[in-house]
Amino acid sequence: MILQVALDLTDVEEAMSIAEKAARGGAHWLEVGTPLIKEEGMRAVELLKRRFHDRKIVADLKTMDTGALEVEMAARHGADVVSILGVADNKTIRDAVDVARKYGIRVMVDLIGVGDKVKRAKELEKMGVHYILVHTGIDEQAQGKNPLEDLEKVVKAVNVPVAVAGGLNLETIPKVIELGATIIIVGGAITKSEDPEGVTRKIIDLFWDDYMKTIRKAMKDISEHILNVADILKLEQVRGFVDAMIGANKIFIYGAGRSGLVGKAFAMRLMHLDFNVYVVGETITPAFEPGDLLIAISGSGETTSIVDAAKIAKKEGGKVVALTSYPNSPLGRLADITVEIPGRTKANVPTDYIARQMLTRYRWIAPMGTLFEDSTMIFLDGVIALLMATFQKTEKDMKKKHATLE
């Protein structure tokens, strides 16, 4: 979650003073409010960005027309995010998004005044806006309205981050956290407080209660998955893998991205155990020859570079071991031995953005290939433990081959 402090003031010096305190309290984003921009112009945006270069600066322009022009103006003065009104013409919004992309900044669309907020939110998502704001204005608040009902509906309807604003305070923020808001915008509760820094800290503390739940849940769910992988490992697959390593002349390891990092960690441990091992892609990697072994790591089993390497290894008369979640993938079908390491299947991927990002509602709480990569890392550490026992190697023995030039 992100705390955005709305500086809806008319004096830039006062705004800077409150922003200073809010920043010390932990505010993530600072909003140059509409009244401040009307009073001081883009100068206010520039001053805040210059002073708070380590914070995102939001220019709350509430643009209704000439989206390209106004976004460019804000970007040139240092804004990181610019607000556009959801009731604006579609062209205005698309132009704003195009210019924002050019300058590397973001567009937040404010649904204030929009009748069917869910319908409009879906339209805005298709236009490529970065954030959607569910906003109950001051005049609406005076009539007893709040953003909670609309927030819940919009969060469920779109996959982009949803912001919320409208009279939020320490009492109401826990509810908007529960409903799935990504960006929580607080104005008067901080700016009108006698202790802006203290109130900001208290709000951030509310966030951290949820943050720690997220971290603990992620760690527990990942651990449970790895334990399940350990229970369902197939003896014949693991035996084939280990036997292939022991019999190989040279061992080559190849993985892409995070899988590649897992492979490098495994290669280092094999080197400590005196195996003749290389990582594909390194400048000192020799030619692959008959009698050599390629250990190919790919969760999907479809990574083109990994599949191509397996084809070459087979052509050169070597063996291929595939570590993958999909034995029937192109890599799995090429391999002499496949070790199946289950990851997150497509059916386990939540479609709701907040559920994916806040990680509190679904069993699979790790992004993309994380479960496969973490499980593979722990599995390969288990293999190292087996090889240590097999060759009667101690940690002291392995340390003799540990890098000294680092």
Side-chain angles (χ1 to χ4, degrees), residues 111 114-126 132 134 149-158:
L111 296 180
V114 171
D116 190 336
K117 291 180 170 51
V118 170
K119 178 183 176 183
R120 188 56 170 160
K122 290 178 179 179
E123 293 169 350
L124 293 166
E125 182 178 22
K126 290 179 180 177
I132 293 173
V134 177
E149 184 179 347
D150 290 327
L151 173 64
E152 184 172 17
K153 293 176 182 177
V154 172
V155 164
K156 290 178 178 178
V158 298

